[in-house]
Amino acid sequence: MTDSLLDLAPAAAREKIVAWTAERGLPGYRADQINRRLWTSPVGSWSEATELPAPLRDALEADWPLPRLAVASLETSADGTRKFLWRLADGEAIESVLIPSGARRTLCISSQAGCALGCVFCATGRMGFRRNLTPAEIAGQVREIILRDPTDRPTNIVFMGMGEPLLNWPAVDVALTILNDPAGFGIGARHITVSTVGILPGMEALRARPEQFRLAISLHAARSDTRLGLMPIEKKYSLGAVLTEAKRFGRRVTFEYVMIAGTNDRDEDADRLARLAQPLGAHVNLLPLHPGGAPGLAPSSGNRMRAFAGRLQSAGVEAVIRRSRGLDINAACGQLYVEMEKKRRPSPTAPAR
Ligand code: SAH
Ligand code: SF4
């Protein structure tokens, strides 16, 4: 099967369209008209591209149908945060969260359905891994929101929804181009953040890109043993190795640190974290643990978080306590979870019939 045009970086899609229009003896400007409808001025289906003659629209619909994500549900939080649940063509479901803040609209997008990494505090981790998303499904989360209402166009993108983006690098690589390219969504690379637990090959691949995409590293502990208790991936990509790659990254990185009472929130943890972050000039985001993602774990108190942030700051580390958004609709980081119908895929432990 041919790739969808929406699975291709804009330049590659353009080549296909140019060849396709040339084959049909269409004037050159048609390729530009068609191309614009993919990302810069998107249509939900070719029938909406009324600047094109009807037979051309039909031919496009036949040869290059535009895949869509169906909205399965949309919830709005008291703080204006909106959570979209998308149903994919094969029945899988993923979520995106749109977080307005003044003139900024940050969209938190998913890169996988579920996640294989099983961090103990994360609801997505409990879903297990379902599958990788395609470029069209990743960038499509932005596209669908613009199609619904162009005034919702996101100004910032964070890969902090479901999944580990750097374990789906081939698709994320293309999606980053679509997001950033002026022939795509034209969102500045500095406004696009990839969040990872520290998948080293993926970090190297991201570093190799010339654009200034931002990198956030989910650290969550300043000691390897504590981290291993929270994040099984520590066994494969250890704290030390991740920090070495963070140094190589060459641009300023952000450390994400979910604060869990009695686990990683002591003064001693802050001091260790400061010693890791300070030489890198890393910025630290302290996230309140959302208990929704973590039965059995308790969030650190507000006082503890402020004391922890204070210790980091007095050690010369830029640290901020991130506000929780969309808590009332379970839209916050680590709370994204889609209950799948059990009947479609029996669990591997289910007795054979
Ligand atoms: N897999 C990537 C990106 C998606 S998770 C990663 O882990 O970085 C996005 C962020 O949500 C991560 O920083 C993750 O640690 C955080 N998160 C997960 N569960 C959480 C919870 N229960 N409370 C607060 N943040 C959580
Ligand atoms: Fe996966 Fe990130 Fe959740 Fe860990 S925190 S289970 S890597 S989505």
Side-chain angles (χ1 to χ4, degrees):
M1 207 191 78
T2 338
D3 270 339
S4 153
L5 291 175
L6 300 183
D7 276 314
L8 302 174
R14 190 169 200 294
E15 269 179 41
K16 298 246 186 209
I17 299 165
V18 166
W20 186 86
T21 49
E23 260 168 43
R24 293 167 173 259
L26 294 165
Y29 65 88
R30 290 291 185 209
D32 293 322
Q33 285 181 314
I34 294 168
N35 211 42
R36 271 201 288 282
R37 293 312 204 163
L38 298 179
W39 304 111
T40 54
S41 166
V43 284
S45 77
W46 291 112
S47 62
E48 294 164 35
T50 49
E51 73 280 19
L52 304 174
L56 179 51
R57 283 182 257 154
D58 293 342
L60 283 165
E61 204 56 59
D63 287 6
W64 303 109
L66 298 171
R68 302 288 306 271
L69 314 185
V71 191
S73 83
L74 170 55
E75 289 173 85
T76 303
S77 158
D79 67 17
T81 299
R82 274 178 288 161
K83 180 169 77 170
F84 298 81
L85 173 69
W86 311 108
R87 182 70 57 184
L88 309 178
D90 64 349
E92 291 294 342
I94 54 160
E95 290 177 331
S96 318
V97 181
L98 185 63
I99 308 158
S101 173
R104 185 194 297 206
R105 286 175 304 280
T106 301
L107 185 68
C108 176
I109 60 174
S110 296
S111 55
Q112 299 180 315
C115 181
L117 298 184
C119 302
V120 300
F121 44 79
C122 174
T124 307
R126 277 205 308 286
M127 287 172 66
F129 178 67
R130 310 282 307 182
R131 70 166 171 85
N132 277 328
L133 301 187
T134 63
E137 289 167 338
I138 299 172
Q141 296 165 60
V142 183
R143 194 173 190 275
E144 292 295 338
I145 281 170
I146 296 172
L147 285 174
R148 293 172 64 86
D149 182 351
T151 66
D152 281 340
R153 173 180 281 271
T155 59
N156 296 65
I157 303 289
V158 294
F159 282 79
M160 293 185 187
M162 293 176 169
E164 168 50 53
L166 296 185
L167 285 180
N168 184 16
W169 176 252
V172 167
D173 190 23
V174 175
L176 285 170
T177 302
I178 296 170
L179 294 171
N180 174 244
D181 193 323
F185 290 122
I187 300 170
R190 289 187 179 79
H191 293 163
I192 300 173
T193 301
V194 176
S195 176
T196 182
V197 293
I199 305 297
L200 298 182
M203 289 171 75
E204 285 168 32
L206 183 63
R207 164 160 60 88
R209 293 206 43 156
E211 306 93 335
Q212 302 284 302
F213 295 116
R214 290 193 187 270
L215 177 66
I217 301 173
S218 290
L219 222 57
H220 307 320
R223 304 167 49 120
S224 189
D225 52 355
T226 309
R227 196 168 190 259
L228 185 60
L230 297 171
M231 307 165 71
I233 193 70
E234 172 69 16
K235 214 173 289 172
K236 183 157 187 190
Y237 299 119
S238 69
L239 182 59
V242 171
L243 291 167
T244 302
E245 180 54 36
K247 201 169 298 165
R248 287 205 196 107
F249 196 68
R251 301 163 229 158
R252 185 179 158 88
V253 300
T254 297
F255 289 158
E256 294 183 82
Y257 198 96
V258 173
M259 295 206 60
I260 308 172
T263 299
N264 64 0
D265 67 347
R266 294 161 307 174
D267 285 349
E268 183 193 317
D269 298 308
D271 296 344
R272 268 179 188 270
L273 179 58
R275 285 198 294 276
L276 304 182
Q278 202 276 334
L280 283 178
H283 178 99
V284 176
N285 268 344
L286 299 172
L287 318 170
L289 173 77
H290 301 126
L297 298 177
S300 305
S301 70
N303 278 341
R304 182 81 296 257
M305 288 189 73
R306 283 186 289 276
F308 196 95
R311 277 187 100 85
L312 290 171
Q313 287 153 356
S314 45
V317 175
E318 228 182 85
V320 297
I321 298 176
R322 268 227 317 245
R323 246 180 343 140
S324 285
R325 300 290 304 266
L327 266 181
D328 53 337
I329 55 166
N330 289 341
C333 283
Q335 292 194 321
L336 302 186
Y337 176 86
V338 178
E339 185 76 66
M340 298 302 296
E341 311 88 284
K342 304 283 185 291
K343 61 177 181 334
R344 279 197 315 106
R345 247 177 246 184
S347 84
T349 51
R353 268 176 293 172

Tab-separated table of all heavy atoms in Angstrom, residues 198-238:
chain	number	residue	atom	x	y	z
A	198	GLY	N	15.131	8.691	28.517
A	198	GLY	CA	16.565	8.604	28.254
A	198	GLY	C	16.927	7.421	27.378
A	198	GLY	O	17.847	6.662	27.686
A	199	ILE	N	16.224	7.280	26.272
A	199	ILE	CA	16.529	6.228	25.307
A	199	ILE	C	17.742	6.702	24.513
A	199	ILE	O	17.632	7.618	23.679
A	199	ILE	CB	15.311	5.992	24.373
A	199	ILE	CG1	14.038	5.689	25.189
A	199	ILE	CG2	15.597	4.900	23.341
A	199	ILE	CD1	14.099	4.428	26.027
A	200	LEU	N	18.919	6.116	24.780
A	200	LEU	CA	20.157	6.697	24.240
A	200	LEU	C	20.209	6.789	22.721
A	200	LEU	O	20.556	7.851	22.191
A	200	LEU	CB	21.383	5.946	24.773
A	200	LEU	CG	21.582	6.002	26.298
A	200	LEU	CD1	22.856	5.264	26.682
A	200	LEU	CD2	21.636	7.437	26.805
A	201	PRO	N	19.858	5.726	21.979
A	201	PRO	CA	19.933	5.867	20.517
A	201	PRO	C	19.012	6.971	19.997
A	201	PRO	O	19.368	7.699	19.060
A	201	PRO	CB	19.488	4.493	19.989
A	201	PRO	CG	19.614	3.556	21.158
A	201	PRO	CD	19.429	4.376	22.401
A	202	GLY	N	17.862	7.117	20.614
A	202	GLY	CA	16.928	8.168	20.212
A	202	GLY	C	17.473	9.547	20.540
A	202	GLY	O	17.311	10.496	19.765
A	203	MET	N	18.124	9.673	21.701
A	203	MET	CA	18.708	10.967	22.070
A	203	MET	C	19.805	11.353	21.071
A	203	MET	O	19.933	12.518	20.690
A	203	MET	CB	19.272	10.915	23.490
A	203	MET	CG	18.195	10.858	24.566
A	203	MET	SD	18.872	10.523	26.221
A	203	MET	CE	19.597	12.123	26.636
A	204	GLU	N	20.560	10.350	20.637
A	204	GLU	CA	21.604	10.629	19.635
A	204	GLU	C	20.979	11.067	18.319
A	204	GLU	O	21.474	11.988	17.661
A	204	GLU	CB	22.465	9.381	19.400
A	204	GLU	CG	23.436	9.117	20.525
A	204	GLU	CD	24.079	7.731	20.419
A	204	GLU	OE1	24.278	7.242	19.275
A	204	GLU	OE2	24.361	7.138	21.475
A	205	ALA	N	19.907	10.402	17.943
A	205	ALA	CA	19.243	10.741	16.679
A	205	ALA	C	18.665	12.159	16.743
A	205	ALA	O	18.762	12.926	15.783
A	205	ALA	CB	18.149	9.725	16.371
A	206	LEU	N	18.092	12.506	17.870
A	206	LEU	CA	17.529	13.855	18.015
A	206	LEU	C	18.656	14.899	17.985
A	206	LEU	O	18.528	15.953	17.374
A	206	LEU	CB	16.740	13.955	19.328
A	206	LEU	CG	16.040	15.285	19.595
A	206	LEU	CD1	14.970	15.581	18.545
A	206	LEU	CD2	15.405	15.304	20.994
A	207	ARG	N	19.764	14.566	18.637
A	207	ARG	CA	20.923	15.469	18.644
A	207	ARG	C	21.451	15.699	17.236
A	207	ARG	O	21.951	16.776	16.907
A	207	ARG	CB	22.018	14.850	19.531
A	207	ARG	CG	23.393	15.446	19.359
A	207	ARG	CD	24.285	15.152	20.550
A	207	ARG	NE	24.501	13.727	20.807
A	207	ARG	CZ	25.473	13.009	20.258
A	207	ARG	NH1	26.303	13.564	19.387
A	207	ARG	NH2	25.612	11.733	20.567
A	208	ALA	N	21.345	14.672	16.385
A	208	ALA	CA	21.882	14.779	15.029
A	208	ALA	C	21.045	15.709	14.148
A	208	ALA	O	21.492	16.122	13.080
A	208	ALA	CB	21.967	13.391	14.394
A	209	ARG	N	19.843	16.032	14.580
A	209	ARG	CA	19.023	16.933	13.760
A	209	ARG	C	19.515	18.355	13.937
A	209	ARG	O	19.871	18.770	15.030
A	209	ARG	CB	17.545	16.801	14.154
A	209	ARG	CG	16.996	15.417	13.798
A	209	ARG	CD	15.530	15.405	13.566
A	209	ARG	NE	15.030	16.517	12.781
A	209	ARG	CZ	13.903	16.464	12.086
A	209	ARG	NH1	13.179	15.347	12.060
A	209	ARG	NH2	13.476	17.503	11.428
A	210	PRO	N	19.497	19.119	12.856
A	210	PRO	CA	20.043	20.476	12.941
A	210	PRO	C	19.131	21.463	13.670
A	210	PRO	O	19.608	22.477	14.176
A	210	PRO	CB	20.206	20.880	11.471
A	210	PRO	CG	19.204	20.040	10.730
A	210	PRO	CD	19.085	18.762	11.495
A	211	GLU	N	17.844	21.160	13.760
A	211	GLU	CA	16.930	22.116	14.382
A	211	GLU	C	17.115	22.107	15.899
A	211	GLU	O	17.572	21.134	16.466
A	211	GLU	CB	15.470	21.772	14.058
A	211	GLU	CG	15.151	21.628	12.588
A	211	GLU	CD	15.276	20.185	12.100
A	211	GLU	OE1	16.033	19.411	12.715
A	211	GLU	OE2	14.621	19.844	11.097
A	212	GLN	N	16.690	23.179	16.518
A	212	GLN	CA	16.886	23.320	17.967
A	212	GLN	C	15.698	22.776	18.754
A	212	GLN	O	15.169	23.457	19.629
A	212	GLN	CB	17.096	24.803	18.301
A	212	GLN	CG	18.265	25.439	17.580
A	212	GLN	CD	19.586	25.027	18.200
A	212	GLN	OE1	19.839	25.241	19.371
A	212	GLN	NE2	20.427	24.378	17.395
A	213	PHE	N	15.298	21.546	18.446
A	213	PHE	CA	14.213	20.951	19.231
A	213	PHE	C	14.645	20.850	20.685
A	213	PHE	O	15.820	20.646	20.973
A	213	PHE	CB	13.861	19.546	18.701
A	213	PHE	CG	13.309	19.549	17.311
A	213	PHE	CD1	13.988	18.931	16.267
A	213	PHE	CD2	12.105	20.200	17.036
A	213	PHE	CE1	13.480	18.948	14.976
A	213	PHE	CE2	11.585	20.221	15.742
A	213	PHE	CZ	12.280	19.597	14.713
A	214	ARG	N	13.680	20.975	21.562
A	214	ARG	CA	14.020	20.892	22.986
A	214	ARG	C	13.894	19.459	23.490
A	214	ARG	O	13.080	18.687	23.010
A	214	ARG	CB	13.109	21.802	23.800
A	214	ARG	CG	13.405	23.257	23.538
A	214	ARG	CD	12.737	24.144	24.562
A	214	ARG	NE	12.884	25.532	24.201
A	214	ARG	CZ	13.914	26.283	24.588
A	214	ARG	NH1	14.860	25.787	25.354
A	214	ARG	NH2	13.969	27.551	24.214
A	215	LEU	N	14.733	19.162	24.470
A	215	LEU	CA	14.747	17.826	25.053
A	215	LEU	C	14.433	17.922	26.537
A	215	LEU	O	15.055	18.705	27.262
A	215	LEU	CB	16.131	17.191	24.850
A	215	LEU	CG	16.330	15.807	25.486
A	215	LEU	CD1	15.441	14.761	24.825
A	215	LEU	CD2	17.799	15.373	25.373
A	216	ALA	N	13.460	17.139	26.974
A	216	ALA	CA	13.170	17.015	28.403
A	216	ALA	C	13.476	15.577	28.804
A	216	ALA	O	13.097	14.637	28.101
A	216	ALA	CB	11.699	17.336	28.680
A	217	ILE	N	14.201	15.427	29.883
A	217	ILE	CA	14.576	14.086	30.341
A	217	ILE	C	13.845	13.793	31.641
A	217	ILE	O	13.921	14.567	32.598
A	217	ILE	CB	16.100	13.986	30.544
A	217	ILE	CG1	16.820	14.289	29.223
A	217	ILE	CG2	16.481	12.601	31.065
A	217	ILE	CD1	18.324	14.375	29.339
A	218	SER	N	13.108	12.692	31.643
A	218	SER	CA	12.376	12.291	32.845
A	218	SER	C	13.370	11.607	33.775
A	218	SER	O	13.687	10.438	33.609
A	218	SER	CB	11.229	11.352	32.472
A	218	SER	OG	10.239	12.088	31.771
A	219	LEU	N	13.868	12.361	34.729
A	219	LEU	CA	14.904	11.854	35.632
A	219	LEU	C	14.248	11.169	36.833
A	219	LEU	O	14.478	10.005	37.098
A	219	LEU	CB	15.789	13.018	36.081
A	219	LEU	CG	17.281	12.775	36.131
A	219	LEU	CD1	17.817	12.326	34.786
A	219	LEU	CD2	18.006	14.036	36.582
A	220	HIS	N	13.478	11.930	37.589
A	220	HIS	CA	12.670	11.428	38.719
A	220	HIS	C	13.463	10.888	39.904
A	220	HIS	O	12.876	10.523	40.919
A	220	HIS	CB	11.663	10.371	38.266
A	220	HIS	CG	10.793	10.801	37.130
A	220	HIS	ND1	10.269	12.084	37.035
A	220	HIS	CD2	10.356	10.147	36.023
A	220	HIS	CE1	9.553	12.174	35.937
A	220	HIS	NE2	9.596	11.038	35.292
A	221	ALA	N	14.767	10.792	39.752
A	221	ALA	CA	15.599	10.374	40.882
A	221	ALA	C	17.015	10.827	40.585
A	221	ALA	O	17.405	10.926	39.418
A	221	ALA	CB	15.559	8.871	41.068
A	222	ALA	N	17.772	11.092	41.632
A	222	ALA	CA	19.148	11.523	41.457
A	222	ALA	C	20.116	10.401	41.823
A	222	ALA	O	21.321	10.602	41.842
A	222	ALA	CB	19.416	12.773	42.300
A	223	ARG	N	19.557	9.236	42.142
A	223	ARG	CA	20.393	8.063	42.417
A	223	ARG	C	19.864	6.915	41.586
A	223	ARG	O	18.655	6.743	41.435
A	223	ARG	CB	20.283	7.604	43.878
A	223	ARG	CG	20.598	8.604	44.928
A	223	ARG	CD	20.114	8.075	46.286
A	223	ARG	NE	20.551	6.704	46.529
A	223	ARG	CZ	21.325	6.349	47.556
A	223	ARG	NH1	21.734	7.261	48.421
A	223	ARG	NH2	21.657	5.090	47.710
A	224	SER	N	20.796	6.101	41.115
A	224	SER	CA	20.429	4.990	40.249
A	224	SER	C	19.496	3.991	40.960
A	224	SER	O	18.522	3.513	40.372
A	224	SER	CB	21.701	4.299	39.780
A	224	SER	OG	21.401	3.370	38.795
A	225	ASP	N	19.757	3.685	42.238
A	225	ASP	CA	18.927	2.674	42.913
A	225	ASP	C	17.492	3.171	43.100
A	225	ASP	O	16.530	2.426	42.893
A	225	ASP	CB	19.562	2.206	44.236
A	225	ASP	CG	19.935	3.359	45.157
A	225	ASP	OD1	19.787	4.539	44.751
A	225	ASP	OD2	20.384	3.090	46.286
A	226	THR	N	17.332	4.441	43.460
A	226	THR	CA	15.988	5.003	43.609
A	226	THR	C	15.279	4.994	42.254
A	226	THR	O	14.104	4.637	42.136
A	226	THR	CB	16.060	6.455	44.124
A	226	THR	OG1	16.895	6.490	45.278
A	226	THR	CG2	14.683	6.996	44.451
A	227	ARG	N	16.033	5.364	41.231
A	227	ARG	CA	15.441	5.448	39.892
A	227	ARG	C	14.996	4.065	39.416
A	227	ARG	O	13.921	3.915	38.831
A	227	ARG	CB	16.463	6.066	38.929
A	227	ARG	CG	15.864	6.564	37.622
A	227	ARG	CD	16.854	7.421	36.847
A	227	ARG	NE	16.215	8.085	35.710
A	227	ARG	CZ	16.318	7.667	34.454
A	227	ARG	NH1	17.025	6.592	34.167
A	227	ARG	NH2	15.698	8.329	33.483
A	228	LEU	N	15.797	3.072	39.710
A	228	LEU	CA	15.447	1.711	39.294
A	228	LEU	C	14.131	1.259	39.931
A	228	LEU	O	13.341	0.544	39.305
A	228	LEU	CB	16.585	0.749	39.659
A	228	LEU	CG	16.431	-0.704	39.191
A	228	LEU	CD1	16.317	-0.776	37.663
A	228	LEU	CD2	17.615	-1.546	39.673
A	229	GLY	N	13.891	1.694	41.153
A	229	GLY	CA	12.645	1.339	41.818
A	229	GLY	C	11.419	1.995	41.188
A	229	GLY	O	10.296	1.527	41.356
A	230	LEU	N	11.651	3.084	40.448
A	230	LEU	CA	10.539	3.816	39.835
A	230	LEU	C	10.393	3.505	38.349
A	230	LEU	O	9.287	3.525	37.804
A	230	LEU	CB	10.758	5.330	39.989
A	230	LEU	CG	10.792	5.889	41.416
A	230	LEU	CD1	11.231	7.351	41.396
A	230	LEU	CD2	9.418	5.749	42.072
A	231	MET	N	11.541	3.279	37.703
A	231	MET	CA	11.568	3.194	36.247
A	231	MET	C	12.418	2.006	35.808
A	231	MET	O	13.649	2.072	35.816
A	231	MET	CB	12.187	4.487	35.677
A	231	MET	CG	11.513	5.760	36.175
A	231	MET	SD	12.500	7.222	35.843
A	231	MET	CE	12.329	7.328	34.069
A	232	PRO	N	11.776	0.936	35.392
A	232	PRO	CA	12.527	-0.257	34.982
A	232	PRO	C	13.577	0.026	33.897
A	232	PRO	O	14.571	-0.696	33.814
A	232	PRO	CB	11.435	-1.193	34.452
A	232	PRO	CG	10.168	-0.736	35.111
A	232	PRO	CD	10.324	0.736	35.339
A	233	ILE	N	13.389	1.069	33.085
A	233	ILE	CA	14.325	1.359	31.994
A	233	ILE	C	15.723	1.682	32.520
A	233	ILE	O	16.715	1.574	31.790
A	233	ILE	CB	13.804	2.536	31.112
A	233	ILE	CG1	14.581	2.647	29.784
A	233	ILE	CG2	13.884	3.854	31.861
A	233	ILE	CD1	14.320	1.538	28.816
A	234	GLU	N	15.815	2.047	33.802
A	234	GLU	CA	17.117	2.336	34.411
A	234	GLU	C	18.091	1.171	34.238
A	234	GLU	O	19.304	1.364	34.147
A	234	GLU	CB	16.916	2.690	35.894
A	234	GLU	CG	18.190	2.835	36.726
A	234	GLU	CD	19.039	4.058	36.372
A	234	GLU	OE1	18.536	4.986	35.698
A	234	GLU	OE2	20.223	4.082	36.782
A	235	LYS	N	17.542	-0.038	34.171
A	235	LYS	CA	18.393	-1.215	34.002
A	235	LYS	C	19.131	-1.149	32.659
A	235	LYS	O	20.272	-1.541	32.539
A	235	LYS	CB	17.512	-2.472	34.053
A	235	LYS	CG	18.194	-3.668	34.698
A	235	LYS	CD	17.219	-4.836	34.875
A	235	LYS	CE	16.195	-4.576	35.960
A	235	LYS	NZ	15.140	-5.606	36.022
A	236	LYS	N	18.436	-0.659	31.640
A	236	LYS	CA	19.032	-0.639	30.303
A	236	LYS	C	19.805	0.661	30.044
A	236	LYS	O	20.916	0.631	29.513
A	236	LYS	CB	17.923	-0.806	29.256
A	236	LYS	CG	18.441	-0.865	27.842
A	236	LYS	CD	17.469	-1.573	26.922
A	236	LYS	CE	18.084	-1.764	25.537
A	236	LYS	NZ	17.096	-2.222	24.562
A	237	TYR	N	19.183	1.782	30.367
A	237	TYR	CA	19.834	3.079	30.157
A	237	TYR	C	19.956	3.751	31.521
A	237	TYR	O	19.002	4.363	32.006
A	237	TYR	CB	19.015	3.932	29.186
A	237	TYR	CG	18.857	3.301	27.816
A	237	TYR	CD1	17.599	2.990	27.311
A	237	TYR	CD2	19.970	3.003	27.040
A	237	TYR	CE1	17.449	2.393	26.058
A	237	TYR	CE2	19.837	2.406	25.790
A	237	TYR	CZ	18.575	2.111	25.308
A	237	TYR	OH	18.440	1.524	24.068
A	238	SER	N	21.129	3.630	32.110
A	238	SER	CA	21.309	4.066	33.493
A	238	SER	C	21.402	5.589	33.581
A	238	SER	O	21.729	6.277	32.604
A	238	SER	CB	22.575	3.448	34.064
A	238	SER	OG	23.693	4.031	33.425
